[in-house]
Amino acid sequence: MPLIKLRGVTVDFPFTPYPCQEDYMSKVIECLQNKVNGVLESPTGTGKTLCLLCSALGWREHFKDTISARKIAERMGGAELFPDRQMSSWGTAATDGDTPTYYTDIPKIIYASRTHSQLTQVISELKNTSYRPKMCVLGSREQLCINQEVMRHESNHIKVHMCRAKVSSRSCVFYNNFDGMKTKIGDLPVDDIDQIVCSCRVCPYYLSRALKQHADVIFMPYNYLLDPKSRRAHNIELKGAVVIFDEAHNVEKMCEESISFDLTPYDLISAIEAVDRLLREQASDISKADSKNIFLNAQLNNLTEVLMDLESSINGFEMPANSQGITKPGSFIYELFQTAHVNSDTKTAVVEAMEQITGYLAGRPGVFLNTSGLQKVADIIQVRSMLKRSVGCFLYFFPIFIVFVSLSLLSWCLGLNLQRAIESVFAYFIGNVLSYWCFSPGFSMQELLRQGVRSIILTSGTLSPLSSFTCEMQIPFPVSLENPHVIQRDQIFVSIIEKGPDGVQLSTAFDRRFVPENMSSMGNTLVNLARVVPHGLLVFFPSYPVMDKTLEFWRVSLYFSLSAIKQQLPVVIDGYYDKVNDPNSSGGSFFAVCRGKASEGLDFADRYGRGVAITGLPFPPRMDPRVVLKMQYLDEMCKNKISGVKYLSGQEWYRQQASRAVNQAIGRVIRHREDYGAIFLCDHRFKGTEARNQLPSWVRPYVKIYDGFGTMVRDAAHFFRTAQKTVNPFLRPVPVRKEKESVWLSDTSQKAKTLASHVPSLKMRKLGEKTVASCTAKTGKAFMMELRRCLSHENFKLIMEGLQSYKTTDDLSDLLANVTEPLIQDHNTHCLLRGLYQFIRPHHKKEFDERCLELTGEGCGYKQEHSLSREEREALGQNPVNVRSEVQKPQTSIKEGLSCSSLLSDIKQAIGAEKTRQMFLALQAYKTSNNYEQMVFIITFYIFY
């Protein structure tokens, strides 16, 4: 493996790195050496994970070596161990600034990603390097518990209490086995934890917690770091550690959600019922009073009173007439809980009582009682207490709000007409919802800094725009990087499509998204793209309502033949992969939404994602109370202008949310350095300078704005033809999919493909994949239809004019000058040139055959009798049509032939008299308006289909 030197640190990298990979590793080392934070963006496919691991571990080894060098120097009494190499050449990390360091000061690396499945991929990458650090993976009982009696329960908090009960009673064999080998934990070969678990039958949950103390690298989902309750539960020590957030595009959202909550009427009622259940049982059976699990009646009564007082306080607020809820500052939550007698003096006893009741009911066989509400209230009290310790008297100014929302408003916010059904079925659940929302992700980041971490590195393939991202984090990032991609120019095609093939402006703005003309134009656009893009096309909508209503419109209007109903993601995506891999199919389309699992958590490499179409800017719902309050908060922070802190305005944040969702969806198209694909931004608003500037830096150089749809399609077709010849992609196996999302699968391989064949913007289609049929075998109008289908409007018009001129002038040289250039540029259109043989007059056929042989390498099948005139053939008794079955001289001009009575009769028989009348009305309008695209659109979609 090549050794490379970066900022004085030797990094063992598995391959010869690209320049962008060296830049990335240099930035990582800079952060670690200078003990500063960094935000690093590097596109998917640039080897980001491998660079991150090698650079961080290489720096850690260098740090350890410098300490060893200092120890040796101390033992040598100042003498040099190696005469040709001074000890100072080992570096200065042994002092780490002004502070002397020791082996115990070597930083642990905490590597956090979004999910355990992503961490599994990271560990696989680590095994491809030469580094073998001690490591462990932290997980919850839900992921790691192997006790079937515990895992059969669905509720996570029930699993927690059952596990604790079995551990305390020593009734779990897996924990007992772990307990017996605690003293040997430091000597275990931690390269393969699964092997240890299988061979020793030990509990992986407690094993991972024990290995954490000895590990050099600790892997965990990043909610374990950001959620103060989880951080405390896992006893994560952060002082001096290097914290890396991979796939950090979701960190902002996770920071806010980790200390936010919604307390519903159902939560409080289920909590009260759990306490009442235990109180009634205890009162009905006095003989159980001596049981160690029994609680004092006074204690239970006091807990019931606390919960009922809290419920009354929340429901005591009268909702305003505008149904917008009531907003209070964050500090008001202490006043609210004080009305339920929960304060700093009583909170510990209240929380302990709630957890004991939950654990007691969880361990009782045959008791089916929902205790999630009781656990939720206990967690809320704990989070509230931790926040108070963190921010103290400044909580009033801190960006956490309490919002009281009635159930009717909650239903309205969800876009669901459920109020009547809920009131009739769950009438006693009606009440106010207490929502405690954090609007500053910087709070969680500042908490990490207060824990004494060495460096925080945020990295992802999609963090753009970086300036707004770092503003939201509210901590300094002296080191930043926007890496280019490792792909070449001929591997990416980016287009902004302002108008569809019918000339209608594309937009999913609020006032345009459900306009029939707009939805029709979007459908027409996607049909064209599905035909140009080989294999798989990913289509992302701004939201589920837009996707659902648009697909329903297309189904009714017969735009698409949708072969699947709304299903869970694994079912639908398997159908999509099957469609793409089917040799008898020309591809498939996968419909999803921005911010969904498909846009963030799935790998559509190679043929599964040759193209990505973004159908609009996915702005958050503008009237959502959470969005409204977030924007109000940011505007207030900008207005106050707190010294040294920069905030986004509400509008800047709103636009940034849409841009980041678009960038994340765009990241599906190029998944590795040998991949290639196209990006189609199907909304006129992408033309704006601001929208384009917020695209990823590696995408911006390739963006091209198209006013004409046909021009874009021809360029896209040329791009794919070139890429298929020059790029040699390797196909990866179908990835494992565990997350779920409701999406649609569109079957674009049959009816939609046939439909698209009539659309003029597809005439320069990818003939390399579907070779044009033997055009010399088509006669008369059949050949004209094939010619019209395969060529652009301009080239078809040029050839028609050449044939008309040839009929008048009888000048073969002039005809060849007109028809040769558009037909010999692509070898797939050579047969079209030879197909013109049937329109060549007998005395020119030999010369035309020779020119075709010269230009295309193949003649037209000339025979001597083809040079005979009609009269000469009739005199010889030959049928002029049968002289060569595939060649026929037209009896009349081309224009007359296409409008002859037999053709009109065929059309009437095929589509009926009324549609024939509509077709000729459209043709008549075309003569007046000269709007060719509109004429073809009307004929194709409203007559033939």
Side-chain angles (χ1 to χ4, degrees):
M1 294 185 180
L3 298 177
I4 56 176
K5 198 85 166 180
L6 300 170
R7 296 180 61 89
V9 175
T10 300
V11 178
D12 194 346
F13 199 67
F15 315 102
T16 302
Y18 291 102
C20 66
Q21 292 174 329
E22 289 191 2
D23 292 342
Y24 185 91
M25 289 189 284
S26 294
K27 292 293 186 180
V28 172
I29 294 172
E30 181 182 352
C31 291
L32 303 182
Q33 286 178 335
N34 299 335
K35 296 194 284 188
V36 296
N37 306 321
V39 54
L40 312 176
E41 181 186 64
S42 192
T44 301
T46 56
K48 169 177 59 67
T49 301
L50 199 60
C51 292
L52 192 58
L53 291 169
C54 290
S55 56
L57 292 172
W59 170 83
R60 192 176 186 277
E61 290 294 323
H62 178 78
F63 191 94
K64 185 190 299 184
D65 289 343
T66 56
I67 297 176
S68 300
R70 191 193 67 185
K71 295 289 186 183
I72 294 172
E74 291 174 353
R75 291 292 183 92
M76 296 293 293
E80 296 292 346
L81 179 62
F82 303 104
D84 59 340
R85 182 176 182 183
Q86 294 184 351
M87 200 64 67
S88 59
S89 65
W90 288 88
T92 59
T95 58
D96 200 22
D98 297 329
T99 306
T101 54
Y102 306 93
Y103 286 116
T104 54
D105 298 323
I106 299 174
K108 289 182 180 293
I109 297 175
I110 298 178
Y111 194 111
S113 192
R114 191 167 60 91
T115 63
H116 277 95
S117 61
Q118 290 172 334
L119 290 174
T120 301
Q121 296 173 8
V122 173
I123 294 171
S124 297
E125 289 281 10
L126 178 58
K127 292 179 179 178
N128 293 328
T129 72
S130 63
Y131 296 101
R132 292 295 178 266
K134 291 184 177 181
M135 65 179 185
C136 75
V137 183
L138 294 186
S140 66
R141 289 175 176 85
E142 188 172 8
Q143 275 99 26
L144 300 179
C145 180
I146 56 177
N147 189 311
Q148 294 301 314
E149 189 176 349
V150 174
M151 291 305 295
R152 70 183 182 185
H153 293 275
E154 294 183 1
S155 172
N156 190 40
H157 76 274
I158 295 294
K159 294 175 185 176
V160 171
H161 286 287
M162 284 197 68
C163 175
R164 289 174 180 171
K166 286 185 173 296
V167 167
S168 61
S169 63
R170 301 193 63 83
S171 58
C172 177
V173 63
F174 304 106
Y175 176 80
N176 294 341
N177 291 339
F178 159 75
D179 197 39
M181 57 184 297
K182 275 184 179 179
T183 57
K184 304 176 183 178
I185 292 294
D187 301 325
L188 288 175
V190 296
D191 297 32
D192 194 348
I193 303 299
D194 292 339
Q195 181 62 32
I196 299 173
V197 171
C198 293
S199 60
C200 303
R201 286 174 54 82
V202 297
C203 173
Y205 173 74
Y206 283 99
L207 177 63
S208 66
R209 290 168 66 94
L211 289 173
K212 173 172 61 68
Q213 306 300 324
H214 307 274
D216 302 325
V217 183
I218 306 172
F219 295 96
M220 67 183 73
Y222 50 61
N223 63 300
Y224 287 24
L225 283 173
L226 301 175
D227 187 337
K229 182 174 178 294
S230 295
R231 192 165 63 236
R232 187 182 66 175
H234 287 90
N235 192 25
I236 299 173
E237 177 59 45
L238 293 175
K239 185 174 177 59
V242 173
V243 177
I244 297 173
F245 288 95
D246 197 4
E247 302 299 333
H249 51 273
N250 281 316
V251 164
E252 173 194 356
K253 180 180 179 182
M254 186 62 67
C255 285
E256 294 182 348
E257 291 184 349
S258 64
I259 48 179
S260 300
F261 60 80
D262 294 296
L263 186 61
T264 68
Y266 174 75
D267 294 328
L268 288 169
I269 290 172
S270 63
I272 293 171
E273 285 186 349
V275 178
D276 282 348
R277 169 75 172 268
L278 190 57
L279 187 62
R280 289 194 302 270
E281 288 184 1
Q282 185 165 311
S284 63
D285 193 353
I286 304 300
S287 63
K288 292 183 179 180
D290 295 332
S291 172
K292 63 180 180 179
N293 292 320
I294 279 302
F295 305 91
L296 296 176
N297 284 342
Q299 185 183 17
L300 294 175
N301 283 324
N302 180 58
L303 195 55
T304 303
E305 184 179 351
V306 167
L307 295 171
M308 295 184 70
D309 286 345
L310 183 60
E311 181 189 29
S312 299
S313 298
I314 295 174
N315 290 330
F317 290 87
E318 184 177 351
M319 291 298 104
N322 60 7
S323 298
Q324 292 299 309
I326 301 172
T327 304
K328 297 284 185 179
S331 59
F332 183 75
I333 195 167
Y334 300 114
E335 300 176 28
L336 181 69
F337 275 90
Q338 182 62 49
T339 61
H341 310 290
V342 178
N343 50 43
S344 57
D345 297 327
T346 61
K347 66 175 182 63
T348 302
V350 170
V351 170
E352 287 180 355
M354 289 180 177
E355 290 186 343
Q356 287 176 11
I357 293 172
T358 303
Y360 173 68
L361 294 175
R364 292 187 56 188
V367 175
F368 299 98
L369 186 63
N370 190 344
T371 57
S372 60
L374 194 63
Q375 186 67 49
K376 188 173 185 178
V377 175
D379 292 342
I380 287 171
I381 296 174
Q382 286 182 305
V383 171
R384 181 190 66 89
S385 302
M386 285 184 279
L387 291 178
K388 187 173 184 179
R389 289 197 302 270
S390 301
V391 298
C393 62
F394 297 101
L395 183 62
Y396 184 86
F397 303 100
F398 203 74
I400 301 176
F401 291 84
I402 304 172
V403 183
F404 296 92
V405 186
S406 68
L407 193 57
S408 59
L409 177 61
L410 182 65
S411 300
W412 172 79
C413 292
L414 293 174
L416 304 174
N417 189 16
L418 298 179
Q419 182 180 358
R420 181 172 298 177
I422 292 175
E423 289 177 350
S424 61
V425 180
F426 303 109
Y428 66 98
F429 289 160
I430 297 298
N432 296 334
V433 176
L434 169 64
S435 297
Y436 189 81
W437 293 334
C438 172
F439 295 135
S440 175
F443 171 70
S444 294
M445 287 290 122
Q446 291 167 1
E447 271 293 290
L448 294 182
L449 289 184
R450 278 192 284 268
Q451 299 290 325
V453 299
R454 181 186 182 93
S455 298
I456 297 175
I457 297 177
L458 301 178
T459 183
S460 176
T462 309
L463 293 176
S464 298
L466 284 190
S467 58
S468 61
F469 182 81
T470 54
C471 280
E472 282 281 88
M473 292 297 104
Q474 292 297 298
I475 61 174
F477 287 98
V479 178
S480 64
L481 174 69
E482 288 185 88
N483 239 347
H485 216 299
V486 295
I487 60 173
Q488 303 300 315
R489 177 174 292 274
D490 58 358
Q491 291 177 252
I492 185 71
F493 175 85
V494 187
S495 64
I496 296 176
I497 306 174
E498 181 184 8
K499 297 178 181 179
D502 51 358
V504 175
Q505 191 178 65
L506 299 179
S507 175
T508 54
F510 183 78
D511 58 341
R512 289 283 299 165
R513 61 182 59 178
F514 298 134
V515 175
E517 291 81 4
N518 187 71
M519 290 191 287
S520 297
S521 185
M522 186 64 73
N524 192 9
T525 299
L526 294 178
V527 167
N528 277 266
L529 297 181
R531 189 172 185 276
V532 172
V533 176
H535 307 302
L537 172 65
L538 309 175
V539 181
F540 290 101
F541 291 84
S543 65
Y544 282 110
V546 173
M547 182 178 73
D548 292 341
K549 291 188 178 181
T550 304
L551 292 179
E552 184 62 28
F553 176 83
W554 289 341
R555 179 186 291 102
V556 172
S557 303
L558 298 180
Y559 284 93
F560 288 140
S561 173
L562 295 172
S563 63
I565 63 173
K566 203 170 188 180
Q567 303 177 54
Q568 295 296 340
L569 180 60
V571 177
V572 176
I573 199 170
D574 284 339
Y576 171 70
Y577 283 131
D578 292 342
K579 182 64 66 175
V580 172
N581 292 325
D582 185 356
N584 298 320
S585 168
S586 52
S589 296
F590 189 85
F591 291 169
V593 296
C594 294
R595 299 189 186 90
K597 293 295 189 299
S599 68
E600 296 188 1
L602 297 180
D603 185 12
F604 293 96
D606 300 308
R607 65 171 60 192
Y608 302 121
R610 283 290 176 234
V612 169
I614 312 294
T615 63
L617 286 166
F619 290 104
R622 187 63 178 82
M623 300 308 295
D624 187 317
R626 195 161 185 168
V627 173
V628 172
L629 290 173
K630 171 78 175 185
M631 296 175 68
Q632 289 178 359
Y633 157 70
L634 291 173
D635 289 336
E636 185 68 22
M637 292 296 102
C638 289
K639 182 179 178 181
N640 292 338
K641 295 182 179 179
I642 300 175
S643 177
V645 180
K646 181 182 178 181
Y647 285 90
L648 297 172
S649 69
Q651 279 298 326
E652 287 173 338
W653 172 83
Y654 191 67
R655 291 192 295 268
Q656 168 225 311
Q657 293 299 297
S659 299
R660 189 157 296 145
V662 168
N663 295 345
Q664 192 60 34
I666 284 175
R668 302 302 97 194
V669 71
I670 303 292
R671 305 302 296 173
H672 55 88
R673 64 185 176 87
E674 294 182 349
D675 204 356
Y676 65 90
I679 300 168
F680 305 98
L681 304 174
C682 306
D683 193 307
H684 76 96
R685 292 174 292 176
F686 283 109
K687 285 182 62 178
T689 304
E690 183 177 6
R692 282 185 283 124
N693 287 341
Q694 294 195 355
L695 292 172
S697 60
W698 65 273
V699 171
R700 289 196 293 267
Y702 307 110
V703 175
K704 187 173 181 181
I705 301 174
Y706 287 91
D707 294 327
F709 189 83
T711 306
M712 183 279 299
V713 171
R714 285 194 295 275
D715 286 356
H718 178 265
F719 161 75
F720 281 113
R721 282 199 300 271
T722 303
Q724 286 174 329
K725 294 176 182 178
T726 59
V727 181
N728 184 26
F730 60 88
L731 295 181
R732 296 178 174 180
V734 176
V736 177
R737 301 165 299 280
K738 293 186 178 180
E739 291 120 340
K740 298 181 179 180
E741 177 190 20
S742 295
V743 292
W744 288 82
L745 172 67
S746 171
D747 179 6
T748 59
S749 61
Q750 299 299 329
K751 186 173 182 178
K753 298 289 184 180
T754 305
L755 172 67
S757 67
H758 296 278
V759 182
S761 52
L762 296 176
K763 299 314 175 253
M764 289 299 290
R765 65 191 182 113
K766 265 194 311 83
L767 301 174
E769 287 191 356
K770 286 190 174 181
T771 308
V772 178
S774 180
C775 298
T776 56
K778 294 180 179 291
T779 60
K781 65 179 182 181
F783 173 76
M784 285 298 149
M785 292 177 65
E786 183 72 15
L787 192 70
R788 181 67 190 89
R789 186 171 68 87
C790 298
L791 297 180
S792 66
H793 172 59
E794 292 79 6
N795 287 339
F796 178 75
K797 182 180 178 182
L798 181 66
I799 291 174
M800 291 299 99
E801 290 174 350
L803 288 172
Q804 290 285 7
S805 175
Y806 172 67
K807 178 181 181 299
T808 305
T809 64
D810 197 36
D811 188 343
L812 180 63
S813 299
D814 182 63
L815 173 64
L816 288 171
N818 287 323
V819 303
T820 299
E821 183 176 354
L823 295 180
I824 66 169
Q825 294 178 357
D826 191 325
H827 72 277
N828 293 295
T829 58
H830 291 174
C831 64
L832 296 175
L833 177 63
R834 295 191 292 270
L836 295 175
Y837 182 78
Q838 58 190 298
F839 301 111
I840 302 302
R841 287 174 174 162
H843 57 283
H844 287 145
K845 285 188 180 292
K846 182 178 180 180
E847 181 181 355
F848 186 84
D849 177 77
E850 292 172 350
R851 288 302 307 276
C852 284
L853 180 62
E854 177 185 342
L855 293 170
T856 69
E858 185 177 344
C860 304
Y862 171 77
K863 296 179 181 179
Q864 189 173 0
E865 57 265 29
H866 294 172
S867 297
L868 300 177
S869 66
R870 171 186 289 271
E871 292 78 13
E872 291 172 333
R873 289 198 302 272
E874 289 178 348
L876 294 173
Q878 294 179 329
N879 188 333
V881 177
N882 294 328
V883 172
R884 184 169 184 248
S885 60
E886 67 272 25
V887 180
Q888 177 184 7
K889 178 181 176 181
Q891 300 293 320
T892 60
S893 70
I894 296 171
K895 183 176 180 180
E896 293 170 344
L898 292 176
S899 60
C900 65
S901 59
S902 61
L903 176 59
L904 179 60
S905 176
D906 291 343
I907 293 175
K908 284 184 178 180
Q909 184 177 358
I911 66 175
E914 178 59 26
K915 288 188 175 181
T916 302
R917 187 183 68 83
Q918 295 178 16
M919 183 188 75
F920 279 103
L921 287 175
L923 292 171
Q924 190 67 34
Y926 166 61
K927 290 181 180 180
T928 305
S929 64
N930 201 32
N931 190 335
Y932 181 80
E933 300 281 355
Q934 182 180 16
M935 180 268 293
V936 174
F937 176 78
I938 294 173
I939 291 177
T940 302
F941 293 103
Y942 290 99
I943 297 178
F944 289 107
Y945 293 91

